Amino acid sequence: MSVPQPQAGARSRIAALLPTRADVEEARHHPRRDLLAGLTVAVVALPLALGFGVSSGLGAAAGLATAVVAGALAAVFGGSSLQVSGPTGAMTVVLVPIVADHGAAGVLTVGLMAGVILVVLALLRAGGAMRYVPAPVVEGFTLGIAFVIGLQQIPNALGVPVPEGERVLVMAWRAGQEFVRDPGWTAPALALAVAAAMLLGARWKPTVPFSVLAVIAATVVAQVAGLDGARPIGDLPPGLPAPSLSFVDTAALGSLLAPALAVAALAALESLLSASVADGMTVGQRHDPDRELFGQGIANIAAPMFGGVPATGAIARTAVNVRTGASSRLAALVHAAVLAVIVFAAAPLVSRIPLAALAGVLLATAVRMVEVGSLRAMARATRSDALILGLTAVATLVLDLVQAVIIGLAVAGVLALGAVARQARLAPLPLDRGDHTDEEHELLSDHIVAYRVDGPLFFAAAHRFLLELTELADVRVVILRMSHVSVVDATGALVLKDAVTRLRRRGIVVLASGVRPAHHRALASVGVLELLRP
């Protein structure tokens, strides 16, 4: 019998992550629908790509480069046929402090390193871990991001320089103080007008891209009226730069590892969440989580070479893609191609867009991210869910996104352990009468007690079990029926041994029945099985 070689296994694993002929066949089914969906998504994505590029600190050109390069590569290599990728608000929130600490070259290096990490995670088949993230953590995470994105837009919406600092609350406060000292109403008026047009227009005609119409109108008004307070984006390069790795500083790789891990974690979380949302909006579509990580990894390796910021799957753009009838990867590819045409053909026109108008687009985007009905339902579900949601949202706003998710997961884990631990109990059982008389049965009941151990016997529940078992009244024999024990860990085995030892010191015989084979190892390792034998 031949033994499979490790290299063959690695090759098959890589092959499973690469595009297939089925992807091409799928794109041939409804090309017109995909073309229309891709064009619609590109119209929606243009102001978002510009806005998130500006918010990240690397400029509008970086946002466009990400939307084109990462959007195309993630569409080809990703695990979802309907996912649309590019710069997102959540990623922008993480990038701002990295820009402040390491500059633009540091952000590009972090994006490259994060892409490599994502590819490694895909090869390790880590994509399935997303299902372990509780819904309250995701909702709190999204709510916190919405507030951060909104606060990030305050300087451009007020028409004041972006203050220095990492904490968005501090920056928003300083921007407000600067505006009070020298108020100018042009920028706030444009930002509010664009945001209002998007929010009200979406209720009136959801299929109309009011974001683009509002930005065009604001740009025309600012140019025709010569508004001094409407600072434009500024010059954009007429096309993408040549790919380069000149930004990589090998001496700084060690200090950038932690930010790269944070960016990779966020890219994985947001992309897999977005792909899951796309699955839920369709019938028959299911994404491959490992391939999705691989596609996002390839996209993030390539985007920095063209000056782009790290990318993720974009929930809002993916939702637009699905709603407009996309059926394959062709739609996301068309979206990237249309944005590429804009980069090469319309850069001078795009450069005149006021920053305040982009701030209005992102303010409206932040408002749309807050789904009041979903938050209300989550908060009313249980106190634990409400606590997790609130803590995650506050941590996202005050700390950073990765720390917020870790805190949310930790709290959710502790509360879940508590709920599981409460299921562990000692259930008293009546003795079988057998052929004993009433007097004999009563006498036996006075000296022999039987308990069924229910649920998990592990560290979170073991000490309560010890207290219950050692508080038994004077009896001669204790019988433990353990067929209903679901889990035994080392702590549970030690506590059981301690309880049995204490009872035996009082002259009480302890017997056990129904011990599952799966629990023998844990119980035998601490010597409790020997104590339970007659």
Side-chain angles (χ1 to χ4, degrees):
M1 183 178 67
S2 62
V3 178
Q5 298 298 317
Q7 290 183 350
R11 283 196 297 268
S12 63
R13 188 174 301 180
I14 294 173
L17 300 174
L18 296 176
T20 64
R21 182 175 295 180
D23 298 331
V24 178
E25 294 298 326
E26 187 181 49
R28 294 177 178 176
H29 291 166
H30 305 286
R32 291 185 180 180
R33 284 168 47 184
D34 288 330
L35 290 172
L36 178 60
L39 179 61
T40 304
V41 175
V43 171
V44 173
L46 175 61
L48 293 175
L50 295 170
F52 289 137
V54 171
S55 295
S56 70
L58 268 68
L64 280 175
T66 302
V68 173
V69 177
L73 290 174
V76 173
F77 291 97
S80 171
S81 299
L82 304 177
Q83 177 96 287
V84 178
S85 300
T88 64
M91 188 60 73
T92 298
V93 173
V94 174
L95 297 181
V96 170
I98 299 176
V99 173
D101 292 340
H102 304 284
V107 171
L108 298 179
T109 305
V110 163
L112 181 68
M113 295 171 67
V116 174
I117 293 170
L118 288 170
V119 170
V120 172
L121 289 176
L123 294 174
L124 294 176
R125 298 178 180 175
M130 175 62 194
R131 63 179 179 268
Y132 297 113
V133 180
V137 174
V138 175
E139 291 291 343
F141 175 76
T142 305
L143 178 61
I145 289 173
F147 277 105
V148 173
I149 293 173
L151 290 171
Q152 279 182 338
Q153 309 317 309
I154 298 300
N156 285 334
L158 296 179
V160 301
V162 179
E164 294 183 358
E166 298 181 9
R167 300 303 179 192
V168 66
L169 287 170
V170 175
M171 294 174 65
W173 176 257
R174 291 175 180 172
Q177 290 178 318
E178 181 67 24
F179 179 78
V180 170
R181 283 193 292 268
D182 185 18
W185 300 103
T186 299
L190 287 176
L192 290 175
V194 170
M198 288 181 60
L199 296 174
L200 296 176
R203 291 191 173 187
W204 176 47
K205 294 282 187 181
T207 58
V208 176
F210 281 98
S211 58
V212 173
L213 297 178
V215 168
I216 292 174
T219 305
V220 171
V221 170
Q223 292 293 315
V224 172
L227 301 177
D228 295 333
R231 290 186 296 124
I233 290 175
D235 293 337
L236 292 174
L240 296 175
S244 171
L245 288 173
S246 60
F247 56 84
V248 176
D249 180 6
T250 54
L253 294 181
S255 62
L256 294 175
L257 180 58
L261 289 170
V263 168
L266 178 60
L269 176 66
E270 190 172 11
S271 298
L272 294 176
L273 174 62
S274 177
S276 298
V277 170
D279 289 347
M281 296 176 66
T282 59
V283 177
Q285 288 280 358
R286 286 294 177 266
H287 74 281
D288 181 337
D290 295 320
R291 186 177 167 187
E292 181 61 29
L293 291 181
F294 182 77
Q296 294 298 332
I298 296 297
N300 278 289
I301 289 172
M305 299 181 188
F306 294 88
V309 298
T312 72
I315 296 177
R317 275 157 275 179
T318 299
V320 171
N321 194 40
V322 175
R323 288 176 185 145
T324 49
S327 62
S328 74
R329 302 167 187 274
L330 180 61
L333 276 172
V334 170
H335 138 268
V338 171
L339 291 178
V341 171
I342 293 173
V343 169
F344 283 97
L349 296 176
V350 173
S351 66
R352 299 178 184 178
I353 296 175
L355 290 172
L358 294 181
V361 171
L362 299 187
L363 285 171
T365 301
V367 172
R368 286 178 176 177
M369 289 176 67
V370 181
E371 297 191 14
V372 178
S374 178
L375 291 173
R376 185 183 293 118
M378 196 71 63
R380 289 177 177 176
T382 65
R383 291 183 179 179
S384 297
D385 290 333
L387 176 62
I388 295 168
L389 190 155
L391 279 177
T392 307
V394 171
T396 301
L397 184 60
V398 177
L399 302 174
D400 66 51
L401 303 191
V402 177
Q403 288 179 336
V405 172
I406 292 173
I407 290 172
L409 288 174
V411 173
V414 170
L415 294 175
L417 282 175
V420 172
R422 286 191 291 272
Q423 297 176 6
R425 64 191 184 94
L426 285 173
L429 296 175
L431 292 177
D432 294 336
R433 294 189 59 88
D435 56 357
H436 298 291
T437 64
D438 291 341
E439 292 78 5
E440 290 173 336
H441 183 266
E442 184 177 352
L443 182 62
L444 288 174
S445 299
D446 290 338
H447 296 285
I448 301 175
V449 294
Y451 288 92
R452 187 181 69 229
V453 185
D454 288 336
L457 187 59
F458 70 140
F459 68 95
H463 294 287
R464 183 164 57 85
F465 172 84
L466 170 66
L467 291 176
E468 291 183 27
L469 192 56
T470 54
E471 288 177 356
L472 293 175
D474 291 334
V475 293
R476 298 291 180 85
V477 178
V478 173
I479 300 172
L480 298 177
R481 296 186 178 176
M482 303 182 65
S483 59
H484 287 71
V485 175
S486 56
V487 176
V488 178
D489 69 356
T491 303
L494 285 170
V495 169
L496 178 60
K497 178 183 179 182
D498 191 11
V500 172
T501 302
R502 293 189 186 189
L503 291 173
R504 291 184 57 154
R505 287 174 182 169
R506 291 165 50 189
I508 300 174
V509 177
V510 183
L511 304 175
S513 66
V515 179
R516 296 183 181 181
H519 302 157
H520 280 185
R521 181 175 179 181
L523 296 174
S525 65
V526 299
V528 71
L529 284 181
E530 288 77 5
L531 297 177
L532 293 173
R533 289 171 182 163

